[in-house]
Every structure is written in structure tokens, then in C-alpha cells.
């Protein structure tokens, strides 16, 4: 038996590893199974090229709990090691980065999820174990070796009688880590980190119906049928799927395969995904994956953290910001890349050049897929628009390259359910909706019911009205106005329709100058100036007598601030101001002027104002109650 000291100058390396990695101590199982997987895949390669005489067979990795003995076993049937290789890889190479690790991270416990990055993956075992044994038999024709260490730099290394190829790691679980002797806890970790590992992972056994036994049905004397019970057999409980959909070629998968895999990823998600995007690239980096578009709500926050990041089928994280463009974090699915380090902090990832290239690639691939879906089946794409628009609009705002590509598939629906691309919309409305100054005015509504009367006024002029109702529409409008030439967006309730799209023709007022002045003074006496700014307008005689509007600029700034438009607090703190547009050509307005009693004039003005407020949803509480009572009194 050989005894020795691990070649490291820091005597207390193990307590430091345990301390700094405590928040991530569960990853020890991922690390050890990943090592076993690597050893198995290396053996597969060596046997395939004839450099190993060992028969590859159908190897698996087994995890066993010995609760009574307080031990956890991880057993692989991979490459194995000779005694010399144990000395080299366990006692020397594994600690080549130890001092660098300590120097760099001793003051940063939160950023210490980097043990594998420094070649320390095997020693993550000491986060949960007071003693670790390693029993290994190489695929080469050499004796097995037994290495043991109690968490100090001292180790023993001796021969062992193990005859089957591979490595068994035995963790003597520490008193503060006995949770890892619970079947439910180990099962949870295997499902979390190793669900799609490329080598089958056995964890216990299970009973299933014997597929070769068909239960017999017999009849008794009375003719009553009885079926014997299924015969049960015990089989290995394989907890992972070694060949998940993303590792296959798109040509080998049907729509149902993608749907089945979605169910595998999200067993509690009952709605089908709308469509998927299969990522598969091997240059200038390696990346595979499948992204799914679920049905989206208008709440952007609740959707995030559903994409799982893997490295060679080993789960890394479901917090993919910095790797996946932010607007796509609302999607679901899997991304797998060997070019993404397994154990690094988010700040490391976000600064990594390869990761930035991956992010750009994913953006381009998603844009290309959306364009293809639009071109191949526009009707289906339009039907799904409301469920995916929030992702596309967010992408247009946050990624310039995506904004450029989205011109070909981003849709602008009208209140009547017609969908236009921007180019189609431009060509449709440019003749009719260009104002006297040559600017194209794009009208839109955010709520068909609340803005119905304004929509109808615009449609009476032959104008198209878009329905733009996502929470970030004000930001998107601002972006479009800054990117497209000589256009402006105007919400239909932002002003009277004649003022939204000003033409050369003017409407003559029925009121002379003195009447107009008298009306203005009368209105300002009755209408509260802190809530309404009165505008007298000569409009068509059949237009509404009183119309309440809210200035486009003010309303848009408030909306942008509410959805993250920082630096605009001054707009958020300003009181709600509305314009009251009074139609001087309305018969009711003439009647108000002609009414002799001041009390009757005020009653008519207040009733007309309240009707306008009611149409905008501004009449509530006591004021609404009083309005209803007053309206009934008029009917008596």
C-alpha cells in the first residue's frame, strides 16, 4: 500500500472547497456523474478506432444509496484508471488549478460555482463526504487500484481485487449532508441535472408488467369472466433519456416528436406549443437545441426562466440571460453547447466571446424561422400572432438586427382583423392618410370597446385603424417613428379625427365671433380647468357635441414610463389632463347658447360633459351615481 500527500501547498484545501461551494453543494452528483459519462464516452471512442481491446457493450452508470452504512456509490463501466493514472489524474492534475482557484475566489463565495473550471470536479465530493474511496479497473490489462482520502491532503493507494472495468466512487456522507442518503433527494438531483445524459443512469429497480406474458381470461361455471393479474418483472430503473430530441437531426423528427419532447421537458404544461425552432450548428461553434414558442400572455415577467442550458447533455442552469437574447428568455426549450463552460458564473458567461456569438446566432436563427413560417403559411402565422407578438415586439425594441429582419414578418392588425406587414400598410394608407404637410399618419386603437366611437369616426373617413394593444406598444411606436421616414402614429382618441389627420379643407363655424367668445367664457366657468383644457372646433354638424381626448405625447410618455421607460418620472407625476373638444357646429351647442336661464345652461353643459366622460370610462363612483340619478330626472 502506498501512502502520500497530495501535491498542494495549501494544507486546508478541502475545508476551503466545502466552504466556498456550500451554496452549490448539490452539484457534487452532477460532477461525479459527468466524470463517469466522460470516461464511458472516451472508451466508446477508443474501441471504435481500435485503440482499446475492451468490448464496449452497453455500459451504464449506477447510483446506489447505502443508508445504513451512510454511503453513496457512483459506479461507471467506462475507461477506468491504472494506479499510475490515479496518481497522475487524482493526486496531481486535479489540483493543478487549486491554488489559482483559492487566490482568485477566496474572497468571493457567491461567485465560486467554478470548481470544474479549475479541474477540481472530482473533489466536489468532499463538499458532502468526510471520506472518499475510489476503486477503479482500467480497460488496459492492469490490476485495479483503490484510492482513499479523508479530506486532508493525505491519501492511500493500494491494489484491489475488482475485476470488471470501470470506476466506483464511494462517498462516506458527512453528518451535515445526510439529506444525500435520501432516495427522494437523489432522485430529484438526477432528474434536475442528469435527465438527458448520453449514458443510461440506473437508480434502483422498478416493477413493470411482463411484456412477454399475456394474462389469460377464463370463465367459471356461470359464464362469468375472470382475467388473471399481470405478471410483474423487476427491471433497472433508468432515470434518463440518453437520446433526447435535440441530439437528433431535424429531418429525423416529426411534429409529434417535438410535441412529445415538450411534454418531457414540461410535464405540468398542458397547452401545446405553437411551433418550435430546431437549432443545429457546428461552425464557428457547436450548438444544438430546440426552442418552443408557447402561448404568450401580455405579462412579460411571468414567462421567463423556462429555457434549460446544457453542456454535452449535462444540465447547467435555467437562468440563460446573457447567453440567450433577453427577448427570447420568454420562450421555452433547450440549448446545448460544449463551448459554454459547465461551471462558471453568469458574469463570466456574459463577458465570454463565444457566448456573445451564440447569442447573435440564436437571434438570427429565430428571425429566419419566423420569416419562413410567415412565408410558408401566412394564414396560420396570422392566427398565432396575438400569442407570439409580445416576443417579436420586444425583440424589435431590444435587438437592432432582429428589428431589421422583422420588417418581413412583423404584423400590424387592424380593428377589423386584417393583418398587414409594414410595407403593405404603408402602400394601403399613404394616399388617404397623408396630412397636408406630407406626413403619413398611422391611426391605432388600444382597446376596441373603449375607443369604439373614435374608431367609427376614423372609419367614416375611410381611414384604417390598427389594433395595437401590447404593453410595450408605446416604446415600439417610438422606435418605428425614429426608424421609418416621415411617419407618425396617433391613437384614435388622441384628438378629433380632423385634427389627427389635418387636410387642406377647413370647416366653417356656424357661430360668429361674439357667440364663440360667449361660449368659451361660459364653458370655462362650468368646466374644471384643472382636469380639462377646452378647445372650440368647427366640425361636421353630425359629429359629437363634446369629445374628450388625451394628448398623444403626454399619454405615450406616461405609458412608456409605466413599462420601463426610465428618465420620464416628470410625466408620471403629472396629473391626468384631458382635452375637451366642443363642436361649435353641433345643434346642442347652439341650444346651450340660446338657453336663457344660467342654471339650465350649466345643467346642459354638465350633462354633455358627463356623457363624454362616460364614453371614455372617466365617470366613476359618486359622480357616476349622480349622473344616473340626474339622467332619470330628465326622463320624468
Amino acid at each position: 500500500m502506498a501512502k502520500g500527500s497530495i501535491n498542494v501547498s495549501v494544507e486546508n484545501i478541502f475545508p476551503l472547497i466545502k466552504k466556498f461551494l456550500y451554496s452549490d453543494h448539490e452539484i457534487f452528483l452532477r460532477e461525479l456523474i459527468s466524470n463517469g459519462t466522460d470516461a464511458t464516452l472516451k472508451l466508446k471512442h477508443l474501441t471504435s478506432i481500435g485503440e482499446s481491446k475492451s468490448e464496449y457493450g452497453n455500459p451504464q452508470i449506477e447510483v446506489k444509496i447505502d443508508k445504513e452504512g451512510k454511503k453513496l456509490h457512483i459506479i461507471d463501466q467506462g475507461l477506468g484508471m491504472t494506479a499510475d493514472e490515479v496518481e497522475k489524474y487524482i493526486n496531481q492534475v486535479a489540483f493543478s488549478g487549486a491554488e489559482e482557484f483559492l487566490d482568485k475566489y477566496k474572497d468571493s463565495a457567491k461567485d465560486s460555482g467554478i470548481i470544474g473550471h479549475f479541474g477540481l470536479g472530482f473533489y466536489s465530493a468532499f463538499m458532502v463526504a468526510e471520506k472518499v474511496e475510489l476503486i477503479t479497473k482500467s480497460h488496459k490489462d492492469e490490476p485495479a487500484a483503490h484510492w482513499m482520502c479523508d479530506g486532508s491532503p493525505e491519501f492511500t493507494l493500494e491494489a484491489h481485487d475488482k475485476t470488471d472495468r470501470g470506476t466506483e466512487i464511494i462517498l462516506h456522507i458527512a453528518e451535515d449532508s445526510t439529506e444525500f442518503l435520501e432516495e427522494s433527494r437523489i432522485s430529484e438531483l438526477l432528474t434536475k441535472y442528469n435527465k438527458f445524459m448520453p449514458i443510461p443512469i440506473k437508480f434502483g429497480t422498478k416493477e413493470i408488467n411482463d411484456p412477454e406474458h399475456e394474462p389469460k381470461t377464463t370463465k367459471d361455471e356461470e359464464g362469468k369472466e375472470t382475467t388473471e393479474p399481470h405478471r410483474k418483472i423487476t427491471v433497472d430503473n433508468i432515470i434518463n433519456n440518453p437520446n433526447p430530441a435535440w441530439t437528433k437531426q431535424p429531418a429525423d423528427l416529426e411534429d409529434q416528436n417535438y410535441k412529445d419532447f415538450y411534454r418531457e421537458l414540461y410535464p405540468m404544461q398542458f397547452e401545446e406549443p405553437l411551433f418550435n425552432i430546431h437549432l443545429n450548428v457546428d461552425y464557428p461553434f457547436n450548438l444544438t437545441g430546440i426552442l418552443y414558442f408557447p402561448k404568450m400572455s401580455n405579462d412579460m415577467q411571468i414567462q421567463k426562466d423556462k429555457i434549460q442550458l446544457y453542456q454535452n447533455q449535462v444540465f447547467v442552469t435555467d437562468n440563460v440571460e446573457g447567453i440567450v437574447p433577453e427577448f427570447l428568455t420568454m420562450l421555452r426549450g433547450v440549448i446545448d453547447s460544449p463551448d459554454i463552460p459547465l461551471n462558471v458564473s453568469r458574469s463570466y458567461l456574459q463577458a465570454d466571446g463565444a457566448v456573445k456569438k451564440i447569442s447573435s446566432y440564436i437571434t438570427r436563427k429565430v428571425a429566419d424561422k419566423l420569416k419562413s413560417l410567415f412565408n410558408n403559411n401566412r394564414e396560420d402565422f396570422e392566427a398565432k400572432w396575438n400569442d407570439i407578438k409580445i416576443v417579436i415586439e420586444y425583440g424589435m425594441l431590444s435587438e437592432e438586427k432582429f428589428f431589421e429582419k422583422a420588417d418581413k414578418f412583423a404584423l400590424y392588425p387592424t380593428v377589423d382583423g386584417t393583418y398587414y406587414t409594414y410595407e403593405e400598410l404603408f402602400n394601403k394608407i399613404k394616399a388617404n392618410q397623408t396630412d397636408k404637410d406630407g406626413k403619413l399618419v398611422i391611426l391605432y386603437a388600444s382597446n376596441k370597446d373603449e375607443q369604439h366611437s373614435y374608431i367609427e369616426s376614423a372609419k367614416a373617413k375611410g381611414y384604417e385603424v390598427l389594433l395595437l394593444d401590447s404593453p410595450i406598444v408605446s416604446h415600439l411606436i417610438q422606435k418605428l417613428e425614429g426608424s421609418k421616414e416621415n411617419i407618425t402614429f396617433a391613437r384614435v382618441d388622441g384628438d378629433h379625427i380632423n385634427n389627427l389627420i389635418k387636410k387642406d379643407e377647413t370647416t366653417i363655424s356656424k357661430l360668429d365671433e361674439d357667440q364663440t367668445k360667449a361660449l368659451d367664457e361660459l364653458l370655462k366657468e362650468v368646466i374644471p380647468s384643472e382636469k380639462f383644457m377646452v378647445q372650440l372646433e368647427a366640425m361636421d354638424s353630425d359629429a359629437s357635441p363634446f369629445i374628450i381626448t388625451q394628448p398623444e405625447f403626454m399619454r405615450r410618455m406616461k405609458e412608456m414610463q409605466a413599462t420601463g421607460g426610465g428618465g420620464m418620472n416628470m410625466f408620471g407625476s403629472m396629473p391626468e389632463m384631458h382635452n375637451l373638444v366642443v363642436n361649435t357646429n353641433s345643434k346642442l351647442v347652439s341650444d346651450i347658447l340660446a338657453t336663457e336661464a344660467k342654471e339650465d345652461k350649466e345643467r346642459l353643459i354638465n350633462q354633455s360633459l358627463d356623457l363624454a366622460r362616460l364614453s371614455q370610462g372617466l365617470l366613476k363612483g359618486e359622480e357616476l351615481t349622480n349622473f344616473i340619478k340626474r339622467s332619470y330626472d330628465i326622463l320624468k
Side-chain angles (χ1 to χ4, degrees):
M1 179 175 74
K3 291 185 178 180
S5 182
I6 294 166
N7 184 24
V8 58
S9 61
V10 182
E11 289 294 313
N12 58 352
I13 181 74
F14 294 107
L16 283 168
I17 287 175
K18 187 162 186 171
K19 175 185 173 186
F20 288 130
L21 289 171
Y22 187 74
S23 63
D24 280 339
H25 65 315
E26 68 178 35
I27 65 149
F28 82 92
L29 191 59
R30 180 188 74 180
E31 293 295 325
L32 297 179
I33 290 178
S34 294
N35 287 348
T37 301
D38 288 344
T40 309
L41 293 175
K42 283 174 184 171
L43 176 68
K44 184 179 184 180
H45 176 68
L46 291 178
T47 55
S48 71
I49 61 174
E51 287 196 15
S52 175
K53 293 177 182 176
S54 181
E55 188 176 330
Y56 182 68
N58 296 297
Q60 63 182 23
I61 293 168
E62 183 175 7
V63 179
K64 289 196 302 188
I65 296 172
D66 174 4
K67 197 165 185 177
E68 200 171 303
K70 294 186 177 179
K71 291 184 283 190
L72 184 67
H73 300 249
I74 295 102
I75 306 159
D76 71 57
Q77 298 163 355
L79 210 57
M81 286 182 281
T82 64
D84 287 344
E85 287 169 338
V86 170
E87 172 64 34
K88 178 180 178 182
Y89 293 114
I90 299 300
N91 294 337
Q92 294 173 26
V93 173
F95 268 92
S96 62
E99 283 157 296
E100 182 190 354
F101 162 68
L102 289 173
D103 288 344
K104 194 164 185 180
Y105 290 98
K106 62 187 176 186
D107 297 323
S108 178
K110 285 185 181 176
D111 221 11
S112 59
I114 44 67
I115 194 163
H117 186 59
F118 286 86
L120 297 167
F122 170 73
Y123 284 93
S124 65
F126 287 95
M127 291 189 290
V128 300
E130 59 188 13
K131 182 169 76 173
V132 176
E133 295 181 68
L134 184 147
I135 303 167
T136 183
K137 173 80 168 68
S138 172
H139 68 114
K140 301 170 188 173
D141 188 19
E142 291 196 34
H146 181 192
W147 177 94
M148 190 160 52
C149 180
D150 64 0
S152 71
E154 305 302 320
F155 69 88
T156 62
L157 180 59
E158 58 186 345
H160 194 274
D161 58 5
K162 178 178 168 69
T163 56
D164 51 324
R165 179 197 70 214
T167 299
E168 178 173 4
I169 298 169
I170 305 168
L171 281 67
H172 296 257
I173 299 297
E175 285 300 322
D176 63 356
S177 298
T178 53
E179 65 183 279
F180 299 110
L181 293 171
E182 299 297 329
E183 187 175 318
S184 59
R185 181 71 168 122
I186 295 301
S187 181
E188 173 199 345
L189 294 180
L190 291 172
T191 302
K192 178 177 179 180
Y193 290 110
N194 307 107
K195 189 175 179 180
F196 299 111
M197 293 288 279
I199 304 299
I201 299 169
K202 175 187 174 184
F203 183 52
T205 58
K206 62 182 178 181
E207 278 196 342
I208 63 167
N209 293 332
D210 184 351
E212 295 182 4
H213 172 245
E214 187 66 40
K216 291 179 180 175
T217 301
T218 56
K219 290 183 180 180
D220 59 19
E221 293 176 357
E222 297 175 359
K224 189 177 179 182
E225 289 189 349
T226 338
T227 304
E228 66 179 339
H230 277 281
R231 189 166 68 201
K232 300 287 185 180
I233 57 171
T234 302
V235 296
D236 290 347
N237 181 32
I238 303 300
I239 60 95
N240 62 321
N241 172 4
N243 301 296
W246 84 80
T247 63
K248 301 172 183 176
Q249 291 297 317
D252 297 332
L253 297 168
E254 304 286 341
D255 279 350
Q256 192 57 46
N257 299 127
Y258 287 111
K259 288 176 182 176
D260 291 345
F261 182 57
Y262 185 76
R263 287 271 172 272
E264 200 173 344
L265 284 174
Y266 311 107
M268 300 307 293
Q269 181 64 37
F270 301 111
E271 279 193 313
E272 295 280 350
L274 297 168
F275 51 81
N276 64 76
I277 298 172
H278 197 132
L279 306 167
N280 195 340
V281 63
D282 53 19
Y283 181 83
F285 46 79
N286 287 295
L287 182 138
T288 54
I290 301 171
L291 295 179
Y292 292 92
F293 271 75
K295 283 191 174 183
M296 294 286 171
S297 73
N298 275 347
D299 183 345
M300 295 188 292
Q301 295 304 316
I302 203 168
Q303 304 285 344
K304 292 187 176 183
D305 294 338
K306 296 292 184 183
I307 295 176
Q308 299 173 13
L309 177 67
Y310 287 76
Q311 189 232 56
N312 288 328
Q313 294 176 237
V314 182
F315 176 78
V316 179
T317 180
D318 56 8
N319 187 340
V320 295
E321 286 183 40
I323 302 156
V324 173
E326 190 180 355
F327 78 99
L328 293 177
T329 59
M330 292 183 281
L331 302 187
R332 293 180 179 170
V334 167
I335 289 171
D336 189 334
S337 175
D339 295 326
I340 294 174
L342 185 58
N343 290 298
V344 291
S345 64
R346 280 184 62 207
S347 57
Y348 179 97
L349 282 175
Q350 288 167 354
D352 187 76
V355 170
K356 287 179 179 175
K357 288 177 185 172
I358 287 170
S359 179
S360 297
Y361 165 78
I362 293 171
T363 299
R364 187 175 76 250
K365 184 74 175 177
V366 168
D368 290 345
K369 175 69 173 184
L370 289 167
K371 183 183 174 187
S372 167
L373 289 165
F374 174 77
N375 289 342
N376 293 340
N377 191 340
R378 177 165 179 166
E379 187 178 343
D380 183 59
F381 193 82
E382 288 180 358
K384 292 172 177 171
W385 177 253
N386 279 332
D387 293 316
I388 63 173
K389 67 185 177 188
I390 193 76
V391 176
I392 294 172
E393 290 172 355
Y394 190 19
M396 291 169 71
L397 278 172
S398 57
E399 299 280 336
E400 196 58 40
K401 287 183 179 175
F402 187 83
F403 178 80
E404 293 165 10
K405 286 179 171 283
D407 233 19
K408 301 294 183 186
F409 56 78
L411 293 176
Y412 300 87
T414 71
V415 290
D416 296 321
T418 304
Y419 291 82
Y420 296 109
T421 63
Y422 180 80
E423 185 180 6
E424 290 166 350
L425 178 68
F426 179 87
N427 291 332
K428 171 77 174 173
I429 67 173
K430 64 180 177 182
N432 199 27
Q433 290 180 217
T434 301
D435 67 14
K436 61 185 179 65
D437 299 318
K439 180 164 275 195
L440 181 69
V441 181
I442 301 173
L443 299 174
Y444 72 100
S446 60
N447 187 303
K448 279 201 295 187
D449 293 332
E450 290 178 7
Q451 294 147 15
H452 183 265
S453 62
Y454 300 90
I455 293 168
E456 291 304 305
S457 295
K459 286 167 72 172
K461 297 268 188 186
Y463 298 154
E464 288 283 359
V465 181
L466 302 182
L467 179 61
L468 305 178
D469 57 3
S470 76
I472 54 173
V473 72
S474 296
H475 297 272
L476 182 62
I477 283 169
Q478 204 83 349
K479 171 85 173 171
L480 289 164
E481 286 176 340
S483 306
K484 306 293 185 183
E485 199 173 323
N486 210 23
I487 68 158
T488 187
F489 281 77
R491 206 167 86 174
V492 283
D493 59 346
D495 205 335
H496 182 262
I497 192 62
N498 291 349
N499 291 338
L500 290 177
I501 305 179
K502 290 186 175 177
K503 302 289 188 177
D504 287 327
E505 65 268 14
T506 56
T507 305
I508 307 298
S509 177
K510 291 179 180 177
L511 304 182
D512 60 28
E513 194 174 330
D514 289 340
Q515 289 172 312
T516 302
K517 185 179 178 183
L519 177 63
D520 188 48
E521 289 173 355
L522 176 60
L523 291 168
K524 284 177 179 173
E525 281 180 30
V526 180
I527 306 294
S529 59
E530 71 276 10
K531 291 184 179 179
F532 299 98
M533 187 175 291
V534 176
Q535 294 174 212
L536 302 184
E537 298 276 354
M539 298 184 281
D540 296 339
S541 58
D542 58 354
S544 297
F546 282 37
I547 302 170
I548 292 175
T549 64
Q550 189 173 20
E552 174 79 14
F553 176 76
M554 179 73 69
R555 180 192 45 73
R556 198 188 294 183
M557 292 303 109
K558 279 176 172 285
E559 288 174 354
M560 288 175 71
Q561 184 197 334
T563 52
M568 288 181 283
N569 289 333
M570 56 187 230
F571 296 106
S573 61
M574 290 182 75
E576 285 286 332
M577 278 291 293
H578 292 84
N579 294 329
L580 176 64
V581 183
V582 178
N583 181 5
T584 61
N585 288 339
S586 164
K587 181 178 183 302
L588 176 61
V589 171
S590 297
D591 289 346
I592 290 170
L593 269 178
T595 300
E596 293 187 9
K598 188 177 182 183
E599 187 180 302
D600 291 338
K601 285 180 189 285
E602 290 179 1
R603 180 176 54 79
L604 286 169
I605 291 171
N606 283 323
Q607 189 74 2
S608 301
L609 174 62
D610 282 352
L611 281 166
R613 292 171 72 196
L614 188 67
S615 73
Q616 275 282 52
L618 297 173
L619 201 58
K620 295 173 184 174
E622 185 180 356
E623 291 180 322
L624 178 57
T625 303
N626 292 339
F627 167 76
I628 293 169
K629 185 176 182 301
R630 192 189 327 127
S631 299
Y632 278 128
D633 288 342
I634 291 170
L635 295 173
K636 289 177 183 176

